């Protein structure tokens, strides 16, 4: 099913990855204290057209939530997703940060 995607945390390149066929989507990050800054979003148009954008971002947010750290969306695409889903994910934002 399209919702059952598996993401990989490539710690060496500091990015979450989603591979579908020959395509790879990436969300680059930077870790600082107990925060993860999602700095760059990159998804091939093929995957975007198939509806993987929100699924990938949701999977990354859920991973961050499982780690018990705060999330700072610095990429415009990630910030837009956070705005659309602020009720569900507002507890991921550090104190003093609002989107």
């Amino acid at each position: 099913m399209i919702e059952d995607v598996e993401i990989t945390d490539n710690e060496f390149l500091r990015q979450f990855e989603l591979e579908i066929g020959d395509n790879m989507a990436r969300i680059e990050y930077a870790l600082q204290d107990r925060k993860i800054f999602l700095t760059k979003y990159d998804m091939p148009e093929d995957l975007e057209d198939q509806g993987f954008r929100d699924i990938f971002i949701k999977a990354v947010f859920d991973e961050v939530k499982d780690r018990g750290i705060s999330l700072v969306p610095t990429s415009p695409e990630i910030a837009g997703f956070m705005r659309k889903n602020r009720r569900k994910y507002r507890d991921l934002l550090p104190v003093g940060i609002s989107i």
Side-chain angles (χ1 to χ4, degrees):
M1 180 173 193
I2 195 171
E3 303 255 344
D4 296 331
V5 298
E6 189 173 320
I7 62 170
T8 305
D9 181 1
N10 184 331
E11 293 178 20
F12 180 72
L13 295 176
R14 289 174 301 181
Q15 64 187 19
F16 292 103
E17 301 171 343
L18 170 66
E19 282 189 76
I20 305 289
D22 292 337
N23 294 312
M24 182 187 292
R26 300 169 197 54
I27 295 177
E28 294 178 12
Y29 65 82
L31 286 170
Q32 181 181 5
D33 298 320
R34 299 275 308 143
K35 296 181 200 78
I36 187 165
F37 293 78
L38 301 180
T39 58
K40 185 176 179 189
Y41 167 87
D42 178 40
M43 178 170 282
E45 200 171 315
D46 291 356
L47 295 182
E48 197 83 50
D49 293 344
Q50 293 177 51
F52 281 101
R53 177 187 194 151
D54 286 357
I55 293 166
F56 181 37
I57 296 172
K58 179 188 177 308
V60 170
F61 277 32
D62 290 344
E63 174 67 23
V64 170
K65 190 175 200 170
D66 289 347
R67 294 181 185 188
I69 58 177
S70 297
L71 180 147
V72 181
T74 59
S75 159
E77 296 88 356
I78 306 294
F81 178 86
M82 177 63 92
R83 271 189 223 92
K84 282 192 326 189
N85 299 281
R86 71 177 63 136
R87 287 191 177 154
K88 183 173 183 181
Y89 294 110
R90 73 173 150 225
D91 58 323
L92 290 178
L93 293 172
V95 174
I97 301 285
S98 64
I99 299 290

